[in-house]
Each structure stands twice: as structure tokens, then as C-alpha cells.
Amino acid sequence: MAGTPPSLPPGRTVTLEGRGDTWVWEAPGPPGAPTLVLLHGWMSTAALNWCGVFDALGSSFHVLAPDHRGHGRGLRSSGAFSLERCADDVAALVEALGLSSVTAVGYSMGGPIAGLLWRRHPEVVDGLVLCATAARFAGRPELSPVVQVVGRGMAWAVGWVPPRVVRDGYAFVSRFRGQHEDTPDPWVVAESQGGSPAAFIQAATALNGLDARNWIPEIDVPTAVVITTEDRLVSPGRQRWLATAIPGATAYEVHGDHRACVDKAPEFSAALLGACLEVTARSAANLPGFSEASLTGAPPTPEPA
């Protein structure tokens, strides 16, 4: 039997025209509140990634948190997973719900998806909040097992993920109740079982091939970057580069590893709430912000390895 889930807002299936059915958690928030779309990380689900922040954000915002395609209850497609398709899915969700625009909040893999949503559908993006993420992920040893499999052209035929890789994915969320990562909470296991192993592998390949450094400095909407300062998966140096490369971006720090949204949920929620309040306030005032680099035209410093 699955464990008792954390406090979650209501969830429902939403049909995206020409795409299929997807799943979204939704906290209505106060009347007229700005809308946040929370975009989760690799091998996770919206519930697993964001379970610690719904209450904090829902008091000030209308919050949507969809599962990405191939993850959880997200869209199922015969086509290969891509970050671009995920961004297009989010734009389709915004349209299906009759919304004009949103602030996109991305964690880890959700960061590039949020950025691509701005790049491909700028009319629906008021602002960005990028958490524990980077402009590129290549070179991380944690991704190498699945990347090697994809490199042999087997992603579409894979019906399993190596147990060690699965454990690495569960480790991201399994300790939200202080449990040891080798004995994940039963609810975590049940919530994770809906994902497609082939999609996980294809997503790892997409992340390995991502390099957004050429267009990240073009972002022209209010942006905040939430940096996990002890992150061993996404280098804090690469995270800080985002904050310097995006004109006017502000940085918020959380002293935690890549699971800070779970392991340090109170601290992470406080930083995320502050970032979202700031970005939405700047969006409402049509103030993209400024930085010395944006005023002088100076290029950002080189991204660290």
C-alpha cells in the first residue's frame, strides 16, 4: 500500500489539443493572483519535486504544476522526448486553461524547459524563476550510464532503467520525511512508477546535449535564480553564471544540495517565495530590472566548468 502523501492541492487531467491528456496540480490562490507554472526535474513528478512548496506559494499565487511528458501522469507520445516539446506542452496547457500569461518556475531540468518556453512562446511568459539549474548539463558523471545507452540507439526499446540509476532518481525526493535514501517512502515509489523509462533516458540525452549559453543572455523578462550552494549535481558556479548572464536577474541562495526543495523545504520555500514575489512584482510594473552588465553592454563572465 502506498504511503500517505504530503499535503497537495487538487489535481486533474487536462486535455491539450492535438497532444493528448496530461496531469496538473492546481492551487487557486487569492482572486486575481498571478499564475506560476512549476516545472519539475528529471525522473521526478510535479508532486515529488514541489510537495514542500505548494502551501507557501498557494497563499499568494495561482499555482499550476504539470507532470512533463513521459514523467508521472504526463503526456504519453510515440515521439522522442525533447525539452522543446516539453516547453510546447506548457504553452498548450496555458492555452487550454484560458490563461494569458504566466511566470515559469523551473527546477533542474525544468529550468531549460522554462527558458525554452520563453524563447519559443514569449507571449505567454511574464517572468522566470530558475532553480538549481544551468545553461548546460554536459560532463556530469551522474548522467553517463543512461547517455551511453542512448548513444547505442536503444532508447526506444528500453523497458527498464538500471537499478542504480533508479536509486539516484529516488534519492532526489525520498528523504522528504527524513528517511534514508536506500529506503524511499512508499508514496514516493508509487508516485514514481508512472514514468516511462525510455522517456527518462531520452531526457538524459536531451540534457546532455543542451547548451543554452548563446541565448540565455537574450532573456528580457524579469528573472530570479535560486542557487543551491552545496549542489553536487548542478555546479553552483554554473547556477551563478545564469544570474550574471541574464540582464537584471537577481540571485537567492539556499544552503543545500540538489534535493534542497525536499531536504531543506522550509528554507527553499522561503527563498522561492521571495523570488516569485519579486519577479511577479517586476512583471506587473513592466520592470525587467537592470544590472551593470545590461547598462554597459558588457558580456557575462565565462561559465565555469
Side-chain angles (χ1 to χ4, degrees):
M1 179 179 296
T4 303
S7 174
L8 296 171
R12 60 190 173 107
T13 298
V14 177
T15 299
L16 306 183
E17 186 175 357
R19 292 175 177 271
D21 293 340
T22 193
W23 179 266
V24 61
W25 302 97
E26 182 172 16
T35 299
L36 307 179
V37 177
L38 309 184
L39 306 174
H40 66 76
W42 178 58
M43 284 186 66
S44 188
T45 69
L48 292 171
N49 202 137
W50 302 110
C51 60
V53 307
F54 283 119
D55 289 343
L57 296 181
S59 62
S60 300
F61 297 101
H62 173 213
V63 181
L64 300 170
D67 284 351
H68 296 309
R69 57 173 55 221
H71 290 66
R73 303 173 183 86
L75 286 167
R76 290 300 186 262
S77 171
S78 58
F81 177 100
S82 76
L83 300 171
E84 291 80 6
R85 286 177 175 170
C86 287
D88 295 345
D89 295 339
V90 179
L93 176 65
V94 172
E95 180 180 2
L97 296 180
L99 301 170
S100 58
S101 56
V102 301
T103 294
V105 182
Y107 199 99
S108 192
M109 183 182 75
I113 294 171
L116 286 165
L117 178 65
W118 163 82
R119 194 177 190 211
R120 295 167 69 86
H121 306 276
E123 71 282 358
V124 306
V125 178
D126 290 329
L128 296 171
V129 179
L130 308 175
C131 312
T133 192
R136 64 187 178 105
F137 290 77
R140 304 310 302 171
E142 293 84 352
L143 296 180
S144 59
V146 285
V147 170
Q148 290 170 8
V149 173
V150 173
R152 294 194 295 268
M154 296 174 60
W156 63 86
V158 172
W160 52 271
V161 173
R164 189 181 70 80
V165 178
V166 174
R167 286 197 300 271
D168 288 347
Y170 286 158
F172 176 69
V173 291
S174 63
R175 294 199 302 164
F176 77 95
R177 292 176 180 168
Q179 295 188 0
H180 190 275
E181 63 186 54
D182 289 337
T183 56
D185 186 284
W187 172 76
V188 173
V189 176
E191 177 68 15
S192 302
Q193 286 175 344
S196 161
F200 293 161
I201 293 173
Q202 291 161 353
T205 303
L207 287 172
N208 193 60
L210 173 74
D211 191 345
R213 290 175 294 176
N214 64 324
W215 57 262
I216 283 292
E218 299 172 3
I219 291 175
D220 60 359
V221 294
T223 301
V225 179
V226 179
I227 300 166
T228 42
T229 62
E230 300 167 15
D231 204 313
R232 292 171 291 179
L233 181 60
V234 180
S235 162
R238 292 188 179 186
Q239 297 182 50
R240 290 191 176 97
W241 183 86
L242 287 178
T244 62
I246 300 171
T250 52
Y252 292 74
E253 293 194 350
V254 177
H255 299 296
D257 198 355
H258 199 64
R259 297 181 303 204
C261 62
V262 173
D263 291 348
K264 300 286 185 73
E267 296 93 331
F268 178 78
S269 294
L272 180 61
L273 177 60
C276 292
L277 288 170
E278 181 218 326
V279 165
T280 54
R282 287 166 54 193
S283 299
N286 292 316
L287 295 174
F290 66 91
S291 65
E292 183 177 351
S294 66
L295 291 174
T296 63
T301 56
E303 188 205 41

